[in-house]
Amino acid sequence: MLRTACGILALALSLYAFYSRIRPGDQFPKLRDKWWGEGYRIMETHYVEDSRIEVTDKVLYDLQNRLKATQKLHPSYLGMGQRYGIRDNVMQDVLDYWTNHYNFTKRLEFINQYPHRFVKIRGLTIHFLYAEAQRKHQNTRVIPLLMVHGWPSSFLEFYEVLPMLVKSDPTLDFVFEVVAPSIPGFAFSDYPHKPGMSAIYIAQIFAELMEILEYDHYYVHGGDWGGVIIQHMAHRYPHRVLGMHSTMCYVNTITSNLKFIIGSYLPSLIYEPEEMRLWNKTANSIAFMVEEGGYFHLQATKPDTIGMALRDSPIGLAAYMLEKFSTLTNANYRDREDGGLTEKFTMEQLLDNVMVYWVTRCMTSAMRIYAEAITNYELEFNRYMRILVPAGCARFPNEILLSPRYILKERYTNLVHLTTYNNGGHFAAMEVPGSLAYDITSFVEKVEKMRPAKKRS
Amino acid sequence: MLRTACGILALALSLYAFYSRIRPGDQFPKLRDKWWGEGYRIMETHYVEDSRIEVTDKVLYDLQNRLKATQKLHPSYLGMGQRYGIRDNVMQDVLDYWTNHYNFTKRLEFINQYPHRFVKIRGLTIHFLYAEAQRKHQNTRVIPLLMVHGWPSSFLEFYEVLPMLVKSDPTLDFVFEVVAPSIPGFAFSDYPHKPGMSAIYIAQIFAELMEILEYDHYYVHGGDWGGVIIQHMAHRYPHRVLGMHSTMCYVNTITSNLKFIIGSYLPSLIYEPEEMRLWNKTANSIAFMVEEGGYFHLQATKPDTIGMALRDSPIGLAAYMLEKFSTLTNANYRDREDGGLTEKFTMEQLLDNVMVYWVTRCMTSAMRIYAEAITNYELEFNRYMRILVPAGCARFPNEILLSPRYILKERYTNLVHLTTYNNGGHFAAMEVPGSLAYDITSFVEKVEKMRPAKKRS
């Protein structure tokens, strides 16, 4: 029954997509030369500042006061897991830990283990993390890798995987140096002062960042919004991007939707034999999106309203963010009374990320990314975009959307690397950093082998 | 283009509705004999307590502290009206007024002008307002009227219209006495301790309330969720309900959806000549629901998560609620930088209602009504329900959903009263109380004339 409904919905969406193909001749609207700062464009010198993350005592004192003044949480229904939203007992534990055990001043040492750098681009201060390559041999090549986070995570998502990428592996002739920026409006990057900062404009800013840092060629990796952003980079700057690696490869075209519908009845038509285990997940994914997509719908339409509350209440902010760390890590955690929150993550990992959103007061501007994405302009790119640079897609079994190779090939025409793992969900970089580091490295190894040796830097 | 998309969407929904008609033979699932209090059922004596609304100084002091500690609001984009959500300048004005001018202790005098009563039903304390009839002549009949509010309003919604209903009109031989309860989970009514309190179970509780108050026959009125609840009362208790009056009459059946699709192309087929002005509004209503329905989607799936923030932050609570008082009063207010918030309402009216939600900490349990409504159980009732008692529908032009007579007749088989006004939106009782009082009175007058004189009480 639900299957049929999903089929009909998908069909409707495909027909809609078909009818709204208004300008197939002019598929890619031009990028405008935008200035995102206050007022008018000024001359910028791209001076890169080295810094540390510091937070004033006043901010921490204010936070303590708010945590202590938190209203008694509304009792959750017994036996319903997280089906009505994150439970009171889960958040009570978070609140107790946050108030009594969590020490942000100490956590700043951890956060500051990498240098934090800042540079002005198009009127905005862009924050990024720089993780230097730790070469063992002088003839080990250093390969630059841009890593882009998503919502509701931050650059902190990569802290577990970074050491694995920047340390020399004796079996490889290369090692990474990593640039992990904060998306404009997130964490320590400025928020845009004008509307319209969609993924494609973020891609433009990050391409300019890499140019300022004097990288001629580099790899890109991302998941969630990071995955959307790096796709645009791969599409628009193929002369710079050597390869793109994503944990959230997806296609959204008329034909891909039709294939999904057909595949939900006749899976063998679209899934390869070893992909068959993805089938059930895909069939459930539309129902999952309806049940779990309320936040998406709200953020895509009225981010500023809900932002008022999330900026003002630490427990509210944490609840809103941590629901995702439960549900998107494993959909089955919804049926657990504890939400499985500390099953894969430590309370420190979870609260560090919440703290980054709290101290930078960035929730409203971060959520606006959803509103900017759901525009005809952005959707049109998404419909026709073909990525020609080598692409690598890692499929973690609890990721929201998992597509078969047959469908992925539509967009990623040069899909050189496609893997399926046994563990891991939406926050794979935090949850299974070893698998992710291995996957990125394997992908880059393949691509490097295909490149003419003389061109390798 | 949008038209086509809406048509396809409506078609898909209709097909879905058609395919999900699983048990046409057993159309109405039985009401279970539920107990909503903590623990197990106990014997209840339905003693009605008279009371006043009081709030402790501690609560008001805590609120003042929170208001003063409100984080600087995130700057809204210039020139975008309320398109990204409620604006910072709108909420800054609210915050200033709330902190410096609003006096809740004084407002309590206004709120307590009617007696507040409490009675235990099925384990829950149910709050209701009682407005006595002010008869001028002894032979003026007193007619009981149950009035049910919606979300995010409360019993306060009726304060402007109540005096008009309970005062004798020399041209009429009747006058109303009004019972205006708080929906369980809202304001001063207890929240259910078990899941499943959908509109039909609320209808059951209110029918029991009227029984306890010894009303054999009565009229019912409602809008928003109140409109849904009183429909169920009219459907299930036709021997008690003399007539139902609603500002949100709607039908959601396969055939009504098909009619809407056809009507969007050939309006003259479904709209009567004098209804043609509704046509454009209807055509726009699906787009409006997508743009403005994020809150609905979130509340229908994860009310408890967002509730964490809204319980803890007064500015967040006010922003979330007042967005509705702007947008649902007039969709065009979205394009105004001030949101038109005080165009139709005073700051006192708006803040009184926010305060009721704040002091009772009821937002989480109030939002759960959306989650309980979107179940197969509830939807099935909605699909087949035919209302046989006399129905009256008032159509205010800025209401969300406006249906032509041709469609309304499907559900309201005895539609004796159907009006269309020139002014007014979703909160008609507050905005145009005169029109609403006139409409309710006219409807009841018609129904009373049709009733056999000897049966009139």
Side-chain angles (χ1 to χ4, degrees):
Chain A
M1 220 268 296
L2 187 64
R3 255 312 162 57
T4 314
C6 292
I8 292 166
L9 186 67
L11 182 67
L13 292 173
S14 319
L15 287 174
Y16 170 67
F18 179 76
Y19 279 110
S20 57
R21 270 183 93 211
I22 21 177
R23 29 176 189 173
D26 173 22
Q27 293 183 355
F28 295 107
K30 276 195 180 157
L31 272 193
R32 270 158 292 171
D33 187 27
K34 290 202 178 185
W35 172 259
W36 302 100
E38 274 185 294
Y40 296 99
R41 179 182 301 274
I42 52 163
M43 275 286 288
E44 268 176 342
T45 46
H46 300 296
Y47 174 71
V48 178
E49 265 182 273
D50 226 7
S51 185
R52 282 169 55 86
I53 301 303
E54 304 285 358
V55 173
T56 64
D57 286 347
K58 199 182 147 196
V59 166
L60 297 180
Y61 180 75
D62 171 80
L63 173 63
Q64 269 296 327
N65 283 344
R66 283 170 196 266
L67 288 174
K68 281 178 191 155
T70 299
Q71 300 283 355
K72 190 176 168 302
L73 307 181
H74 196 289
S76 302
Y77 286 132
L78 283 175
M80 302 302 291
Q82 322 292 316
R83 294 285 168 167
Y84 284 75
I86 199 156
R87 293 186 64 81
D88 58 346
N89 56 303
V90 176
M91 289 315 298
Q92 190 61 52
D93 287 351
V94 170
L95 182 62
D96 292 344
Y97 195 91
W98 202 356
T99 316
N100 303 317
H101 303 288
Y102 182 78
N103 182 342
F104 189 60
T105 314
K106 211 174 141 196
R107 294 304 298 167
L108 276 174
E109 290 169 32
F110 172 79
I111 293 171
N112 281 316
Q113 68 182 285
Y114 299 103
H116 293 263
R117 297 187 169 164
F118 295 87
V119 59
K120 275 264 182 199
I121 301 173
R122 294 179 175 265
L124 302 180
T125 300
I126 300 298
H127 160 257
F128 65 99
L129 203 76
Y130 172 70
E132 198 178 3
Q134 293 162 25
R135 280 198 286 188
K136 280 217 177 112
H137 305 282
Q138 224 183 337
N139 51 358
T140 303
R141 289 179 304 126
V142 172
I143 293 184
L145 172 67
L146 177 83
M147 298 184 85
V148 187
H149 66 87
W151 184 95
S153 67
S154 65
F155 59 90
L156 283 174
E157 192 177 346
F158 301 123
Y159 268 55
E160 266 65 48
V161 78
L162 280 177
M164 302 175 184
L165 294 169
V166 299
K167 256 181 217 152
S168 269
D169 175 336
T171 66
L172 292 172
D173 68 338
F174 65 86
V175 65
F176 294 105
E177 65 179 334
V178 176
V179 172
S182 294
I183 299 173
F186 286 69
F188 301 98
S189 282
D190 273 357
Y191 57 84
H193 290 261
K194 285 138 195 172
M197 178 68 93
S198 59
I200 182 146
Y201 281 103
I202 300 168
Q204 184 186 43
I205 288 200
F206 287 168
E208 290 180 12
L209 169 66
M210 293 306 267
E211 210 176 304
I212 291 164
L213 301 178
E214 297 182 349
Y215 294 116
D216 283 339
H217 300 100
Y218 50 88
Y219 285 85
V220 292
H221 162 82
D224 197 86
W225 283 110
V228 181
I229 293 162
I230 56 141
Q231 259 177 206
H232 282 297
M233 294 184 75
H235 171 251
R236 185 158 281 267
Y237 310 99
H239 51 296
R240 299 288 186 208
V241 176
L242 295 170
M244 61 146 282
H245 181 273
S246 174
T247 53
M248 212 185 66
C249 288
Y250 70 96
V251 188
N252 181 23
T253 61
I254 305 155
T255 44
S256 74
N257 290 335
L258 285 172
K259 284 176 195 166
F260 261 123
I261 297 169
I262 296 164
S264 68
Y265 293 99
L266 299 164
S268 60
L269 284 183
I270 70 162
Y271 293 91
E272 293 172 10
E274 68 274 19
E275 289 181 327
M276 286 298 281
R277 59 185 161 143
L278 301 177
W279 172 45
N280 265 326
K281 293 205 168 274
T282 312
N284 290 330
S285 71
I286 294 179
F288 181 84
M289 279 179 200
V290 172
E291 281 166 35
E292 301 298 324
Y295 80 97
F296 193 109
H297 190 170
L298 192 66
Q299 292 171 206
T301 50
K302 304 284 157 188
D304 287 15
T305 297
I306 177 66
M308 295 266 175
L310 301 183
R311 270 170 74 89
D312 196 47
S313 161
I315 190 75
L317 180 72
Y320 200 80
M321 293 173 72
L322 297 183
E323 184 200 90
K324 303 293 154 230
F325 281 83
S326 161
T327 305
L328 302 184
T329 296
N330 190 331
N332 296 331
Y333 287 175
R334 291 181 296 171
D335 292 323
R336 284 173 55 160
E337 300 289 289
D338 69 355
L341 208 56
T342 51
E343 191 79 12
K344 304 291 178 84
F345 311 116
T346 65
M347 209 62 114
E348 259 76 24
Q349 275 183 308
L350 296 169
L351 284 175
D352 285 353
N353 189 51
V354 171
M355 282 300 284
V356 162
Y357 277 72
W358 179 259
V359 300
T360 61
R361 311 266 180 259
C362 75
M363 192 42 113
T364 305
S365 52
M367 290 190 300
R368 282 180 185 159
I369 196 172
Y370 290 80
E372 305 299 1
I374 313 301
T375 58
N376 282 338
Y377 182 77
E378 193 79 5
L379 291 177
E380 216 155 313
F381 268 96
N382 257 293
R383 253 196 307 278
Y384 302 109
M385 194 162 62
R386 297 285 172 277
I387 287 160
L388 308 176
V389 306
C393 300
R395 292 179 294 196
F396 291 96
N398 297 318
E399 183 55 275
I400 312 166
L401 188 62
L402 295 169
S403 305
R405 179 190 301 270
Y406 176 57
I407 284 180
L408 290 175
K409 288 284 283 181
E410 260 193 50
R411 168 174 286 169
Y412 310 97
T413 54
N414 191 5
L415 183 62
V416 298
H417 177 86
L418 180 65
T419 46
T420 317
Y421 289 86
N422 291 323
N423 292 309
H426 189 67
F427 304 98
M430 284 170 71
E431 189 190 343
V432 283
S435 304
L436 184 65
Y438 174 78
D439 206 83
I440 294 174
T441 309
S442 313
F443 163 66
V444 171
E445 205 182 352
K446 278 185 205 169
V447 180
E448 285 295 304
K449 274 187 189 144
M450 296 188 303
R451 291 176 68 207
K454 55 172 185 176
K455 280 206 172 175
R456 295 180 202 159
S457 50
Chain B
M1 219 266 300
L2 187 64
R3 250 320 158 53
T4 315
C6 292
I8 292 166
L9 186 67
L11 183 66
L13 292 174
S14 319
L15 287 174
Y16 170 67
F18 179 74
Y19 279 110
S20 56
R21 268 183 95 211
I22 20 176
R23 32 178 187 171
D26 173 21
Q27 294 184 353
F28 294 106
K30 276 194 180 158
L31 272 194
R32 269 158 293 171
D33 187 28
K34 290 202 178 188
W35 172 259
W36 301 100
E38 274 184 292
Y40 296 99
R41 179 182 301 274
I42 51 163
M43 275 289 285
E44 266 176 342
T45 46
H46 301 296
Y47 174 71
V48 179
E49 263 181 276
D50 225 7
S51 185
R52 282 170 56 85
I53 301 302
E54 303 286 357
V55 173
T56 65
D57 286 347
K58 199 182 147 197
V59 166
L60 297 179
Y61 179 75
D62 171 80
L63 173 63
Q64 268 297 326
N65 283 344
R66 284 170 196 265
L67 288 174
K68 280 178 191 155
T70 299
Q71 300 282 355
K72 190 176 167 301
L73 307 182
H74 197 288
S76 303
Y77 286 131
L78 284 175
M80 302 302 291
Q82 322 291 316
R83 293 285 167 166
Y84 283 75
I86 199 156
R87 293 186 64 81
D88 59 345
N89 56 302
V90 175
M91 288 315 298
Q92 190 61 53
D93 287 351
V94 170
L95 182 61
D96 294 343
Y97 195 91
W98 202 355
T99 316
N100 304 316
H101 302 289
Y102 181 78
N103 181 341
F104 189 59
T105 315
K106 210 175 140 195
R107 295 304 297 168
L108 276 174
E109 289 170 32
F110 172 78
I111 293 171
N112 280 316
Q113 68 182 282
Y114 298 104
H116 292 263
R117 298 187 170 164
F118 294 87
V119 59
K120 276 266 182 197
I121 302 174
R122 293 179 176 266
L124 303 179
T125 300
I126 300 297
H127 160 257
F128 65 98
L129 202 78
Y130 172 70
E132 197 178 6
Q134 293 161 26
R135 282 197 285 189
K136 282 220 176 106
H137 305 282
Q138 223 183 338
N139 51 359
T140 303
R141 288 179 306 127
V142 173
I143 292 183
L145 172 66
L146 177 83
M147 298 185 85
V148 187
H149 66 86
W151 184 95
S153 67
S154 64
F155 59 90
L156 283 173
E157 192 177 347
F158 301 123
Y159 269 54
E160 266 65 47
V161 77
L162 280 177
M164 303 174 183
L165 294 170
V166 299
K167 256 180 218 153
S168 269
D169 175 335
T171 66
L172 291 173
D173 68 340
F174 67 87
V175 65
F176 294 105
E177 65 179 334
V178 176
V179 172
S182 294
I183 299 172
F186 286 68
F188 300 98
S189 282
D190 273 357
Y191 56 85
H193 290 261
K194 286 139 195 172
M197 179 68 94
S198 59
I200 182 148
Y201 282 103
I202 301 167
Q204 184 186 43
I205 288 198
F206 287 168
E208 290 179 11
L209 169 66
M210 293 306 266
E211 210 176 304
I212 293 163
L213 301 177
E214 297 182 349
Y215 294 115
D216 283 340
H217 301 98
Y218 50 88
Y219 285 85
V220 292
H221 161 82
D224 196 84
W225 284 110
V228 180
I229 293 162
I230 56 140
Q231 258 176 206
H232 283 297
M233 294 184 75
H235 172 251
R236 185 159 280 268
Y237 310 99
H239 50 296
R240 299 288 186 209
V241 176
L242 295 170
M244 61 146 281
H245 180 272
S246 174
T247 53
M248 211 185 66
C249 288
Y250 70 97
V251 187
N252 181 24
T253 61
I254 306 157
T255 44
S256 74
N257 290 334
L258 284 172
K259 284 177 195 167
F260 261 122
I261 297 170
I262 297 164
S264 68
Y265 293 98
L266 299 164
S268 60
L269 282 183
I270 70 162
Y271 294 91
E272 294 172 7
E274 68 274 19
E275 289 181 327
M276 286 298 281
R277 60 184 161 143
L278 300 178
W279 172 45
N280 265 326
K281 294 205 166 274
T282 312
N284 289 331
S285 71
I286 294 179
F288 181 84
M289 278 178 201
V290 172
E291 282 166 34
E292 300 299 325
Y295 80 97
F296 193 109
H297 190 171
L298 192 66
Q299 292 171 204
T301 51
K302 304 285 157 188
D304 288 16
T305 296
I306 178 66
M308 295 265 175
L310 301 183
R311 269 170 75 89
D312 196 50
S313 161
I315 190 75
L317 180 73
Y320 200 80
M321 293 173 73
L322 297 183
E323 184 200 270
K324 302 296 154 228
F325 281 83
S326 162
T327 305
L328 302 184
T329 296
N330 190 330
N332 295 332
Y333 287 174
R334 291 181 297 171
D335 293 322
R336 284 174 56 161
E337 299 289 290
D338 69 355
L341 208 55
T342 51
E343 191 80 12
K344 304 292 178 85
F345 311 115
T346 66
M347 208 62 112
E348 259 76 23
Q349 275 184 308
L350 296 169
L351 284 176
D352 286 353
N353 189 50
V354 172
M355 282 299 285
V356 162
Y357 277 71
W358 178 259
V359 301
T360 61
R361 312 266 180 259
C362 74
M363 191 43 112
T364 305
S365 52
M367 291 190 299
R368 282 179 185 161
I369 196 173
Y370 291 81
E372 306 300 1
I374 313 301
T375 59
N376 282 338
Y377 182 76
E378 193 80 5
L379 292 177
E380 216 156 313
F381 269 96
N382 257 294
R383 249 192 315 274
Y384 303 109
M385 193 162 62
R386 297 284 172 277
I387 287 161
L388 308 177
V389 306
C393 300
R395 292 180 295 196
F396 291 96
N398 297 319
E399 182 56 275
I400 313 165
L401 188 62
L402 295 169
S403 305
R405 179 190 300 272
Y406 176 57
I407 284 180
L408 290 175
K409 289 283 284 181
E410 259 193 49
R411 169 173 285 170
Y412 311 97
T413 53
N414 191 6
L415 183 62
V416 298
H417 178 86
L418 179 65
T419 46
T420 317
Y421 288 86
N422 291 323
N423 292 308
H426 189 66
F427 304 98
M430 284 170 71
E431 188 190 342
V432 283
S435 303
L436 184 65
Y438 174 78
D439 207 83
I440 294 174
T441 309
S442 312
F443 163 67
V444 171
E445 205 183 350
K446 278 185 204 167
V447 179
E448 286 295 304
K449 273 187 190 144
M450 296 187 303
R451 290 177 68 206
K454 57 172 182 175
K455 279 208 175 174
R456 296 182 203 161
S457 49

